[in-house]
Amino acid sequence: MMSFRRLAAGAFAMALLVIPLAALLFLTGCRKQAEIFVDRNFPPDTRLTSAPGPYSQTNYRIHMYWDGIDSDGFVVAYHFAWDDTVPPYGASNSPWRLTTNTDTLFKALIDSIGETRRHTFYVRAIDNEGKLDPSPARVRFDAWTVAPQIDSLYRVGGPLDKADTLNYDPGRKDTVLMGTPIQFIWGGHDPDGLGAPIQYSYRIDSNPFEPYGDDTTATYPSPPPDSLPRVSSGTHFFYVKGKDETGAENFPENYKFVMNFEPDSHIIEPEEPTGTLVVLDGDTIRFRWSAHDKEEVEGQGGGLWQIWINLDNDFLKGFTVNPETGDYVDEWYFTSNVSQSDSHYISSRNSPQGGNAPHLFEIWARDVEGTFEGPSETPVDRETYTFWYNKAPTSEIVFPADGDTVCPDFEILWDGEDIDGEIAAYQFVLDPWASAYRVCQVDLPEQACTSWTYEDIEPTGPPPLHEYHEFRVRAQDNAGCWEESWNTIRFYVEECE
Ligand SMILES: [Ca+2]
Ligand SMILES: [Ca+2]
Ligand SMILES: [Ca+2]
Ligand SMILES: [Ca+2]
């Protein structure tokens, strides 16, 4: 009994399964009946009614207008999206933004790459049954902006600080007392930002830029807990750049300044202006100078360290300054009355063409922050003084006078003078185009150096004779210095009775 009832129940269950399956097979096999599953809702269509032209250049503030139509219903809302972030149709992580508006003022991003950037804008309508326009309206264009500008950048208390009316001087180099804090202040605007605020980023030298922020001031070294570094001795650049609401940045503005004042040295003696003093051979020229360093005076832990002196680009001596003494004064002398190995020895700088060249005396001062290791490198401070040492001799032709006419046999007479020594030699020539130069050493007793007798000199006159004779002489002093220029006369020769 029980088993029959079980079988009957099983057969009934099978029938329940098979009958709907058969019905389903029957229905799907019939084309006419399948149309009841077709979506009869037509999708909406979308268009941009006002937008930048395709691939046009347009300001980053873009007012877009759009609308949509739905042939069998009505549009209830729109999606819009920017750039190539549009996901496949129906994806769940849609960047589409829902709106019921048919216009919006957008601000396109430009970012730091430049002042223009290509964008694509998409918009699609949604109909009353939630169906999306499968082909969104789209436009691609280049948005541009003008980068922000830094209008002012200066150091507080520096020569460009207009608030510091006493020291304001745009032409001055800005030097900062070593060890004191440095504060920069700046401002800027975005020319096409309609007053929108800009952000700033800054750095010193080649350090990384600080993150963008609203600050318009920075202080080095910054008080804790910030960590802007101490600024070392030397030349530095502070940079500021701005970023507008599109992300566009300007090329950084910079402010140049020097940390640590140069030592300041002065030549006190000689009192004559540089380049004017002639020191006679054998005399002594004495230099006195002073130097100081502003950091030392102001007690900022810097200060004068060394003085180097040079003569004619040769290092002579270095003096280390006692840091306790503050201002530094010292002196040095030069004279020919010492041996040539002595660092006080000086001689005439003779030129083969005659005369002599000036000497160049230099003081180089450096402070404790100075980095140059020797006089061959750029000094921190350099004072120079130019002077002449040794007076060149002079000569004079006594007979004949310029333009005279003489007999074929005659004696030429000349003389010379050296006001700070003696004449050592004469050099002379008759008719330099025809004969060799002679040198006569005065200290050789057999030589009479201030005259020369010529015999049978050819008369002068019209060609083929030479028109005139020429005699040249110059003197040399005991310091080896030749007279600055030749003494020259022209004369005529005629047969005498
Ligand atoms: Ca529809
Ligand atoms: Ca801008
Ligand atoms: Ca200094
Ligand atoms: Ca002389």
Side-chain angles (χ1 to χ4, degrees), residues 32-38 40:
K32 199 112 176 131
Q33 289 298 317
E35 283 182 6
I36 64 168
F37 290 98
V38 170
R40 290 186 180 279

Side-chain angles (χ1 to χ4, degrees), residues 176-222:
V176 182
L177 198 68
M178 186 84 198
T180 56
I182 318 169
Q183 186 180 22
F184 298 99
I185 194 161
W186 61 85
H189 79 288
D190 184 19
D192 63 348
L194 303 179
I198 61 177
Q199 291 202 304
Y200 300 99
S201 175
Y202 56 90
R203 73 173 188 194
I204 209 157
D205 300 330
S206 57
N207 291 297
F209 273 101
E210 297 292 324
Y212 272 105
D214 298 328
D215 285 350
T216 55
T217 177
T219 303
Y220 290 84
S222 57

Side-chain angles (χ1 to χ4, degrees), residues 64-87:
M64 299 276 195
Y65 294 83
W66 56 85
D67 64 13
I69 51 167
D70 187 46
S71 57
D72 58 354
F74 52 92
V75 171
V76 294
Y78 300 89
H79 278 148
F80 66 84
W82 280 94
D83 298 330
D84 296 320
T85 56
V86 182

Side-chain angles (χ1 to χ4, degrees), residues 59-60 110 144-148 189-194 198 243-248:
N59 181 268
Y60 75 96
I110 307 298
W144 57 262
T145 187
V146 178
H189 79 288
D190 184 19
D192 63 348
L194 303 179
I198 61 177
K243 184 171 79 171
D244 67 15
E245 59 181 338
T246 74

Side-chain angles (χ1 to χ4, degrees), residues 260-263 293 295 367:
N260 184 15
F261 281 86
E262 294 174 356
D293 187 69
E295 274 74 17
D367 67 10

